[in-house]
Amino acid sequence: MNSQAVVGTRFLHVANGTCTTQIIESAGIPGRRSIWADPLYEGPVPGGLTDAALLQVRARFLAGREKPDVSLAWSGPDASLDPANDLGKWRSAIEDHGAYDELILWFEHDLFDQLNLVQLLTWIRERVPSAKAVSLVSVGSFPGHPAFKGLGELAPDELASLLDRRQGVSEEQYAVAMRAWDAFRASTPEALDDLRRGNTEALPFLAAAIGRFLQEYPWAGDGLSRTERRLLELAADRGANLATAFSRMHEGEDVYYVTDTSLAALAEGLCRTSPPLLMFAPGGGAQSGGLHGSVTLTDAGRAVMNARQDRVALCGIDRWLGGVHLQGVENVWRWDDARRRVVRA
């Protein structure tokens, strides 16, 4: 620790997950540690709710998502902590203002982190005293890591070197975060689409992350999200072992990285559409987290993947993307890749 790690300063480190907090500890960086790590790009995040009400919405979603039987393809352990307790504990750690002198936020460039960051900055602005020092470590690359995906891949000494690169959170950063958080929770996607093309320089990784998030809307032409299409492509030849497919899901991705739980839920969803787009075959021990089994394309899946059928028109949709609830088969918001924006079908 050097110039900016003032001797005697009590830090509270809030990071994007326990992997990063463990590296902070291994690096010998002093201070208490907590996380803020809700997969906000999955499940409902509706606007018009108090933080307490939204916490309950998210806790119910996470509780269902983390059950061992969340997917045909998932045999991982149940969540070790109740989600409501986790979400509440994250808040309580920051609300204990007397326990720290400086709050340091550690978040990277990807979609998971950027959504958590805009929520967290909005929450902090309303609840942390203005006199309390709040700083941010936010990076999208690191020397010696040409395919940098996140803070969790850094060695302790590498992570420690970022401490002196932290900067106090500015009014502009709070303002952009609050606009983004409101737009993300809106019931239609226009405000979020407009925001990413406006001035978001105060949070330099936000626009790209939002752009990738919008590609999770059904695409004009085939009705598949970008992630759904990738899984169908991997299963197109002779099927895909899900544990093996997990790493390949990230090929070509810069800011969107699915978790093993998310991949299992995605596979389950595509196996349970009517008609099903994938067929699941059990077998094989879990090789990545709790993933097991394989998926193959059905005739309907192949027709959708080749754009001979539209996934939404054929199967319907019931999915939340932030505050937008996509339902039914008609008038569903779509991603128009030629125009690079979201349009109403």
Side-chain angles (χ1 to χ4, degrees):
M1 306 312 99
N2 45 39
S3 59
Q4 293 188 49
V6 180
V7 175
T9 301
R10 299 173 303 160
F11 295 125
L12 172 60
H13 304 280
V14 175
N16 57 357
T18 54
C19 182
T20 302
T21 58
Q22 289 167 359
I23 300 173
I24 290 172
E25 181 179 17
S26 297
I29 301 173
R32 299 168 62 208
R33 296 170 299 279
S34 183
I35 66 170
W36 193 288
D38 185 351
L40 293 163
Y41 53 78
E42 296 179 353
V45 195
L49 300 180
T50 64
D51 181 67
L54 180 61
L55 186 151
Q56 293 305 313
V57 169
R58 294 301 297 169
R60 286 194 296 271
F61 167 72
L62 293 170
R65 174 181 177 271
E66 293 175 348
K67 289 178 181 178
D69 59 352
V70 69
S71 174
L72 299 168
W74 179 251
S75 60
D78 198 356
S80 60
L81 294 173
D82 175 66
N85 193 33
D86 275 358
L87 297 172
K89 279 187 173 181
W90 304 346
R91 288 157 169 78
S92 296
I94 299 173
E95 287 178 323
D96 188 7
H97 306 138
Y100 61 91
D101 303 312
E102 181 179 348
L103 173 60
I104 305 179
L105 314 178
W106 300 75
F107 289 87
E108 60 221 23
H109 65 293
D110 65 31
L111 176 63
F112 180 98
D113 281 38
Q114 290 299 299
L115 292 179
N116 276 274
L117 181 60
V118 298
Q119 181 191 27
L120 180 52
L121 289 176
T122 301
W123 190 90
I124 287 171
R125 194 73 177 104
E126 298 172 351
R127 292 170 179 81
V128 173
S130 57
K132 185 71 65 176
V134 181
S135 55
L136 174 63
V137 175
S138 184
V139 296
S141 61
F142 195 91
H145 294 262
F148 179 78
K149 284 186 168 58
L151 296 167
E153 67 185 41
L154 299 181
D157 60 331
E158 292 175 324
L159 191 83
S161 72
L162 295 174
L163 184 64
D164 275 356
R165 291 173 56 183
R166 74 191 190 278
Q167 296 182 340
V169 176
S170 67
E171 289 298 324
E172 292 79 9
Q173 288 173 317
Y174 281 122
V176 170
M178 293 169 73
R179 292 202 309 272
W181 183 236
D182 284 344
F184 178 70
R185 293 180 300 138
S187 60
T188 62
E190 299 104 318
L192 191 64
D193 203 357
D194 289 342
L195 181 136
R196 74 184 175 95
R197 288 177 303 209
N199 183 3
T200 59
E201 292 179 1
L203 296 174
F205 306 121
L206 181 61
I210 291 174
R212 178 60 184 86
F213 173 74
L214 295 176
Q215 293 178 42
E216 286 305 289
Y217 278 80
W219 283 38
D222 62 13
L224 292 166
S225 73
R226 178 172 165 177
T227 306
E228 288 176 333
R229 186 180 303 104
R230 179 59 179 158
L231 181 55
L232 293 188
E233 289 170 350
L234 290 175
D237 188 10
R238 299 181 180 179
N241 177 283
L242 288 174
T244 303
F246 178 61
S247 62
R248 297 199 62 196
M249 289 292 294
H250 301 150
E251 292 173 357
E253 294 282 8
D254 297 318
V255 297
Y256 188 93
Y257 307 116
V258 299
T259 64
D260 44 11
T261 312
S262 299
L263 178 57
L266 173 66
E268 176 191 35
L270 294 176
C271 288
R272 292 185 173 177
T273 56
S274 181
L277 304 184
L278 290 175
M279 181 176 295
F280 177 77
Q287 300 171 43
S288 178
L291 287 170
H292 67 91
S294 61
V295 289
T296 54
L297 272 182
T298 63
D299 290 342
R302 192 171 300 279
V304 169
M305 189 189 72
N306 293 329
R308 297 196 305 271
Q309 293 275 7
D310 182 273
R311 181 249 195 270
V312 176
L314 182 66
C315 307
I317 192 170
D318 185 0
R319 183 183 183 187
W320 283 87
L321 289 168
V324 180
H325 192 185
L326 301 177
Q327 287 181 296
V329 297
E330 297 180 350
N331 299 319
V332 173
W333 290 97
R334 302 270 187 146
W335 171 257
D336 186 329
D337 200 50
R339 298 167 61 188
R340 306 299 293 176
R341 67 177 305 154
V342 175
V343 298
R344 190 78 172 190

